[in-house]
Amino acid sequence: MIGTDLDVAISFLKKGELVAIPTETVYGLAANALDSMAVSKIFAAKERPSFNPLIVHLSANADPNDFVFGWDKDVEHLSAHFWPGPLSILLKKKDTIPDIVTSGMDSVVLRKPAHPLTQKLLEKLPFPLAAPSANKFKQISPTKAAHVEKSLGSEIAYILDGGDAKVGVESTIIDCRTKPYTLLRHGGISKEEIEKLVGPINEQIKAHSNPLAPGQMDQHYSTSKPLQLSNDLAKTLKEKQGVAVSVIYFGKLDLHQWSNTYCLSESENLIEAAAHLFNAMHLADQDNSELIIVGPIPNKGIGRAINDRLMRASH
Ligand code: TXA
Ligand code: MG
């Protein structure tokens, strides 16, 4: 069921049921983070391997010290700047966080989301929410309630509709256990913005077979059709004459001879492109093409998060 009723969402969550929640990045599949049984339903609904830990979402006035060690003045400074917002902070966990949330690891990732409806929801709940993106494992992340409905509608009690996600790519994850901090996932806050505040940080984003952050898994965000990246769209499309392709692209291009085209941002605005990315992938996956071609996106700012998602989606 899709709706906008906070009280319905609250009553399901208090009963240990799953509710999809809007955030500024993507929709999340939420459960009471302090209730292991409720959290286990997330893994079942998503068909997500249990070695893939979850992000814990806190209300704006929650105290992170209740859940982690190492919340010092530097982390406080970082969070004061970017919270509420698309930054997720990894620290050593306290026993208040059940092991199932972190897949048995001794660290946990925390975030205070900026979406007003979900902020209100968190304020009214006596517990934080564990929430991965509300899609089946490895599939495209949802930026609209309808995306969630399509992928998980039959498995969840309620989808809280907060409109289109404004940022459109997941939060940036940063490991703050040691200095300099280490970026684990590109996302809604760019590396440049973080470095402006805290100085140079490390990066550990590569794909691993046994990843520290399974958003680091090679294939992820998959369309059901093959998706191919192109550095030279004109050349690639020439080679594909006669093939039914969808084209996802950035900037102003004349593609009138192709019927399935999705522009991420005509004015070459990377923030706008991020907000349109997953919806374009959902649409291209559903149209009548057999192959999705994606043109180049500048690899700076939030463009890094876009390219990261596209690289993992390509197959
Ligand atoms: O924007 C977001 O972060 C969205 C919204 C719903 O908040 N959530 C999201 O969750 O993207 P998910 O589960 O799709 O991605 C969370 C990533 C995963 O790659 C997971 O492996 C990593 O965070 N992660 C969570 N806890 C971790 C931990 N303790 N150590 C390392 N990686 C962790
Ligand atoms: Mg995800």
Side-chain angles (χ1 to χ4, degrees), residues 78 81-82 172 187-199 271 301-302:
L78 181 71
H81 203 268
F82 293 113
T172 303
I189 303 281
S190 69
K191 187 182 181 198
E192 291 92 329
E193 287 172 87
I194 296 173
E195 291 193 321
K196 221 192 272 169
L197 191 74
V198 305
I271 292 172
I302 200 171

Side-chain angles (χ1 to χ4, degrees), residues 26 46 48 132-135 139 141 170 185 220-221:
V26 300
K46 267 189 77 109
R48 176 173 170 129
S133 53
N135 51 280
Q139 291 182 358
S141 302
E170 292 83 349
R185 177 173 76 178
H220 211 89
Y221 312 103

Side-chain angles (χ1 to χ4, degrees), residues 137-163:
F137 182 56
K138 289 199 170 183
Q139 291 182 358
I140 312 168
S141 302
T143 54
K144 294 170 181 288
H147 294 159
V148 182
E149 167 92 87
K150 187 155 180 281
S151 165
L152 290 168
S154 57
E155 341 247 343
I156 49 188
Y158 194 61
I159 300 169
L160 188 60
D161 189 350

Side-chain angles (χ1 to χ4, degrees), residues 6 24-25 27 39 48 57 88 98 105 108 114 134 156 180 198 202-203 238 242 250 287 296:
L6 274 184
E24 71 281 19
T25 58
Y27 275 74
V39 172
R48 176 173 170 129
H57 298 69
S88 292
M105 293 200 285
V108 66
I156 49 188
V198 305
N202 295 328
E203 243 185 67
K238 216 169 179 182
F250 181 76
D287 69 22

